[in-house]
Amino acid sequence: MDANELGSELSKILVTEAELKARLAEMAREIEADYAGAEQPPLLVGVLKGAVMVMADLARELSFHAEMDWMAVSSYGASTKSSGVVRILKDLDTEIAHRDVLIVEDIIDSGLTLSWLKENLESRGANSVRICAMLRKPDAAKVEVDVAYVGFDIPTDFVVGYGLDYAERYRNLRDVGVLAEHVYADAG
Ligand code: PRP
Protein backbone atom coordinates (compact mmCIF):
# COMPACT_ATOMS: atom_id res chain seq x y z
CA MET A 1 0.00 0.00 0.00
CA ASP A 2 1.29 3.43 -0.95
CA ALA A 3 0.88 6.49 1.29
CA ASN A 4 -0.92 8.41 -1.44
CA GLU A 5 -3.75 5.87 -1.31
CA LEU A 6 -4.49 6.93 2.28
CA GLY A 7 -5.54 10.50 1.61
CA SER A 8 -5.59 12.48 4.86
CA GLU A 9 -5.24 9.46 7.17
CA LEU A 10 -1.53 10.25 7.59
CA SER A 11 -0.42 13.62 8.88
CA LYS A 12 3.05 13.02 7.44
CA ILE A 13 5.47 10.42 6.19
CA LEU A 14 8.24 9.94 8.73
CA VAL A 15 10.50 7.39 7.04
CA THR A 16 10.15 6.49 3.38
CA GLU A 17 10.41 3.02 1.90
CA ALA A 18 13.72 4.02 0.28
CA GLU A 19 15.13 5.27 3.59
CA LEU A 20 14.09 2.06 5.34
CA LYS A 21 15.74 -0.03 2.64
CA ALA A 22 18.99 1.97 2.68
CA ARG A 23 19.26 1.87 6.46
CA LEU A 24 18.53 -1.87 6.54
CA ALA A 25 21.42 -2.48 4.15
CA GLU A 26 23.76 -0.59 6.50
CA MET A 27 22.48 -2.55 9.49
CA ALA A 28 22.95 -5.83 7.63
CA ARG A 29 26.61 -5.00 6.94
CA GLU A 30 27.13 -4.27 10.66
CA ILE A 31 25.44 -7.54 11.63
CA GLU A 32 27.51 -9.53 9.13
CA ALA A 33 30.72 -8.00 10.48
CA ASP A 34 29.77 -8.59 14.12
CA TYR A 35 28.95 -12.27 13.64
CA ALA A 36 31.73 -12.97 11.13
CA GLY A 37 33.81 -14.96 13.61
CA ALA A 38 30.93 -17.00 15.01
CA GLU A 39 30.78 -20.76 14.55
CA GLN A 40 27.17 -20.58 13.33
CA PRO A 41 25.10 -17.64 12.06
CA PRO A 42 22.70 -16.18 14.61
CA LEU A 43 19.10 -17.37 14.86
CA LEU A 44 16.83 -14.48 13.89
CA VAL A 45 13.83 -14.30 16.20
CA GLY A 46 10.94 -12.18 14.94
CA VAL A 47 8.21 -10.96 17.25
CA LEU A 48 4.79 -11.23 15.62
CA LYS A 49 3.13 -9.47 14.06
CA GLY A 50 4.90 -6.16 13.62
CA ALA A 51 8.32 -7.61 12.84
CA VAL A 52 7.21 -9.45 9.70
CA MET A 53 8.26 -6.70 7.26
CA VAL A 54 11.63 -5.93 8.82
CA MET A 55 12.41 -9.64 9.16
CA ALA A 56 11.60 -10.30 5.51
CA ASP A 57 13.74 -7.40 4.31
CA LEU A 58 16.64 -7.88 6.74
CA ALA A 59 16.89 -11.63 6.13
CA ARG A 60 17.11 -11.11 2.36
CA GLU A 61 19.73 -8.40 2.80
CA LEU A 62 22.01 -10.66 4.88
CA SER A 63 24.70 -12.65 3.10
CA PHE A 64 24.66 -15.60 5.53
CA HIS A 65 22.03 -18.34 5.87
CA ALA A 66 19.50 -16.57 8.01
CA GLU A 67 17.60 -19.11 10.08
CA MET A 68 14.33 -17.61 11.30
CA ASP A 69 11.96 -18.38 14.12
CA TRP A 70 9.00 -16.51 15.56
CA MET A 71 7.43 -15.66 18.86
CA ALA A 72 4.09 -14.11 19.62
CA VAL A 73 3.76 -12.30 22.92
CA SER A 74 1.07 -10.32 24.57
CA SER A 75 0.79 -8.15 27.59
CA TYR A 76 -2.16 -8.85 29.90
CA GLY A 77 -3.51 -5.37 29.26
CA ALA A 78 -2.58 -1.82 30.01
CA SER A 79 -1.87 -2.30 33.72
CA THR A 80 0.32 -5.33 33.22
CA LYS A 81 2.13 -3.81 30.29
CA SER A 82 3.45 -1.14 32.62
CA SER A 83 4.73 -3.86 34.94
CA GLY A 84 6.59 -5.43 32.02
CA VAL A 85 4.98 -8.86 32.44
CA VAL A 86 4.46 -10.54 29.11
CA ARG A 87 2.58 -13.70 28.15
CA ILE A 88 3.93 -16.03 25.47
CA LEU A 89 1.25 -16.85 22.88
CA LYS A 90 3.59 -18.71 20.55
CA ASP A 91 6.98 -19.90 21.63
CA LEU A 92 10.08 -20.69 19.58
CA ASP A 93 10.30 -24.02 17.75
CA THR A 94 14.08 -23.87 18.09
CA GLU A 95 16.32 -24.89 20.97
CA ILE A 96 18.51 -21.86 21.60
CA ALA A 97 20.96 -23.11 24.23
CA HIS A 98 24.47 -22.17 23.07
CA ARG A 99 23.08 -20.28 20.06
CA ASP A 100 23.59 -16.63 19.21
CA VAL A 101 20.15 -15.06 18.99
CA LEU A 102 19.23 -11.84 17.24
CA ILE A 103 15.78 -10.52 18.13
CA VAL A 104 14.24 -8.62 15.21
CA GLU A 105 11.62 -6.01 16.06
CA ASP A 106 9.75 -3.26 14.30
CA ILE A 107 9.69 -0.82 17.21
CA ILE A 108 10.83 -0.23 20.75
CA ASP A 109 8.39 2.00 22.57
CA SER A 110 8.50 1.69 26.38
CA GLY A 111 11.14 -1.03 26.07
CA LEU A 112 9.19 -3.35 28.36
CA THR A 113 8.52 -6.09 25.80
CA LEU A 114 12.10 -6.28 24.62
CA SER A 115 13.70 -6.10 28.03
CA TRP A 116 11.46 -8.98 29.17
CA LEU A 117 12.10 -10.98 26.01
CA LYS A 118 15.86 -10.53 26.11
CA GLU A 119 15.99 -11.79 29.68
CA ASN A 120 13.67 -14.69 28.86
CA LEU A 121 15.85 -15.87 25.95
CA GLU A 122 19.05 -15.42 27.95
CA SER A 123 17.60 -17.63 30.69
CA ARG A 124 17.32 -20.48 28.15
CA GLY A 125 21.10 -20.61 27.89
CA ALA A 126 21.61 -18.70 24.65
CA ASN A 127 25.22 -17.86 23.96
CA SER A 128 24.25 -14.25 23.26
CA VAL A 129 21.02 -12.31 22.76
CA ARG A 130 21.12 -9.08 20.79
CA ILE A 131 18.34 -6.83 19.57
CA CYS A 132 17.79 -5.28 16.16
CA ALA A 133 14.95 -2.76 15.98
CA MET A 134 13.94 -0.72 12.96
CA LEU A 135 12.45 2.11 15.03
CA ARG A 136 12.90 3.38 18.57
CA LYS A 137 11.07 6.09 20.51
CA PRO A 138 13.70 7.31 23.00
CA ASP A 139 11.28 9.69 24.76
CA ALA A 140 8.84 6.85 25.52
CA ALA A 141 11.40 4.62 27.27
CA LYS A 142 10.36 3.27 30.65
CA VAL A 143 13.30 0.90 30.91
CA GLU A 144 16.72 1.04 29.32
CA VAL A 145 17.19 -1.70 26.75
CA ASP A 146 20.54 -2.42 25.22
CA VAL A 147 19.80 -2.36 21.49
CA ALA A 148 22.67 -3.43 19.29
CA TYR A 149 21.17 -2.26 15.98
CA VAL A 150 18.68 0.60 15.57
CA GLY A 151 17.30 1.85 12.30
CA PHE A 152 15.86 5.23 13.28
CA ASP A 153 15.13 7.10 16.49
CA ILE A 154 11.74 8.76 16.08
CA PRO A 155 9.49 11.11 18.10
CA THR A 156 6.69 9.76 20.31
CA ASP A 157 4.03 10.11 17.62
CA PHE A 158 1.41 7.50 16.70
CA VAL A 159 3.22 5.81 13.85
CA VAL A 160 1.94 3.18 11.44
CA GLY A 161 3.25 1.26 8.45
CA TYR A 162 6.05 -1.16 7.70
CA GLY A 163 4.48 -3.69 10.09
CA LEU A 164 3.05 -1.21 12.58
CA ASP A 165 -0.72 -1.14 12.88
CA TYR A 166 -3.62 0.79 14.21
CA ALA A 167 -6.48 -1.70 14.81
CA GLU A 168 -4.72 -4.15 12.45
CA ARG A 169 -4.71 -1.63 9.61
CA TYR A 170 -1.77 0.08 7.89
CA ARG A 171 0.72 -2.78 8.48
CA ASN A 172 1.23 -3.13 4.72
CA LEU A 173 1.91 0.55 4.13
CA ARG A 174 5.34 0.77 2.48
CA ASP A 175 6.54 3.80 4.48
CA VAL A 176 6.34 4.71 8.15
CA GLY A 177 3.88 7.53 8.67
CA VAL A 178 2.28 9.50 11.47
CA LEU A 179 -1.39 8.64 11.84
CA ALA A 180 -3.61 11.71 11.64
CA GLU A 181 -5.33 12.45 14.92
CA HIS A 182 -8.82 12.41 13.41
CA VAL A 183 -8.42 8.70 12.55
CA TYR A 184 -8.11 7.53 16.14
CA ALA A 185 -10.17 10.37 17.63
CA ASP A 186 -13.12 9.37 15.40
CA ALA A 187 -12.86 5.79 16.60
CA GLY A 188 -12.71 6.58 20.25
C1 PRP B 1 4.67 -3.66 19.45
C2 PRP B 1 6.09 -3.92 18.93
C3 PRP B 1 6.79 -4.46 20.15
C4 PRP B 1 6.14 -3.72 21.27
C5 PRP B 1 6.97 -2.58 21.68
O1 PRP B 1 3.93 -4.82 19.37
O2 PRP B 1 6.10 -4.85 17.87
O3 PRP B 1 6.65 -5.85 20.29
O4 PRP B 1 4.86 -3.24 20.81
O5 PRP B 1 6.38 -1.86 22.72
P1 PRP B 1 7.11 -1.66 24.12
O6 PRP B 1 8.53 -1.23 23.86
O7 PRP B 1 6.30 -0.57 24.77
O8 PRP B 1 7.04 -2.93 24.90
P2 PRP B 1 2.36 -4.88 19.62
O9 PRP B 1 2.10 -5.25 21.05
O10 PRP B 1 1.74 -3.62 19.11
O11 PRP B 1 1.93 -6.13 18.74
P3 PRP B 1 2.06 -6.34 17.13
O12 PRP B 1 3.53 -6.50 16.82
O13 PRP B 1 1.29 -7.59 16.86
O14 PRP B 1 1.47 -5.12 16.46
Side-chain angles (χ1 to χ4, degrees):
M1 171 185 272
D2 294 329
N4 60 20
E5 288 162 79
L6 288 173
S8 67
E9 291 172 56
L10 299 180
S11 59
K12 70 170 167 178
I13 295 174
L14 206 56
V15 191
T16 65
E17 182 182 25
E19 287 166 340
L20 290 165
K21 187 172 161 44
R23 182 68 190 119
L24 260 183
E26 292 174 355
M27 293 160 79
R29 302 294 86 77
E30 276 182 61
I31 292 167
E32 286 160 0
D34 290 352
Y35 290 96
E39 235 171 73
Q40 199 181 359
L43 173 71
L44 307 187
V45 171
V47 187
L48 296 168
K49 304 172 188 167
V52 166
M53 306 299 173
V54 55
M55 177 71 109
D57 287 345
L58 176 66
R60 283 179 292 183
E61 189 60 51
L62 290 167
S63 58
F64 54 73
H65 290 286
E67 191 184 338
M68 287 170 254
D69 203 344
W70 300 90
M71 285 184 80
V73 298
S74 164
S75 63
Y76 282 93
S79 60
T80 316
K81 186 145 192 170
S82 59
S83 73
V85 177
V86 174
R87 187 161 58 112
I88 296 177
L89 301 177
K90 185 226 167 285
D91 208 341
L92 296 175
D93 299 326
T94 316
E95 172 59 57
I96 59 167
H98 314 298
R99 290 289 307 264
D100 291 313
V101 173
L102 182 60
I103 301 172
V104 178
E105 260 290 24
D106 51 341
I107 191 163
I108 299 185
D109 204 315
S110 68
L112 291 169
T113 307
L114 267 293
S115 94
W116 181 89
L117 192 58
K118 186 167 189 283
E119 217 166 279
N120 180 284
L121 298 187
E122 280 166 349
S123 75
R124 304 182 194 196
N127 185 44
S128 68
V129 179
R130 285 189 186 150
I131 297 168
C132 172
M134 200 63 224
L135 303 168
R136 178 173 62 183
K137 290 179 175 173
D139 298 337
K142 286 189 182 151
V143 284
E144 281 308 311
V145 189
D146 181 19
V147 189
Y149 313 98
V150 185
F152 298 93
D153 278 327
I154 60 168
T156 316
D157 294 324
F158 198 145
V159 289
V160 293
Y162 200 63
L164 292 157
D165 75 309
Y166 168 60
E168 297 302 327
R169 290 156 62 96
Y170 308 101
R171 287 196 200 274
N172 61 325
L173 169 64
R174 295 176 184 277
D175 314 295
V176 174
V178 177
L179 194 63
E181 223 174 292
H182 70 85
V183 177
Y184 49 93
D186 291 352

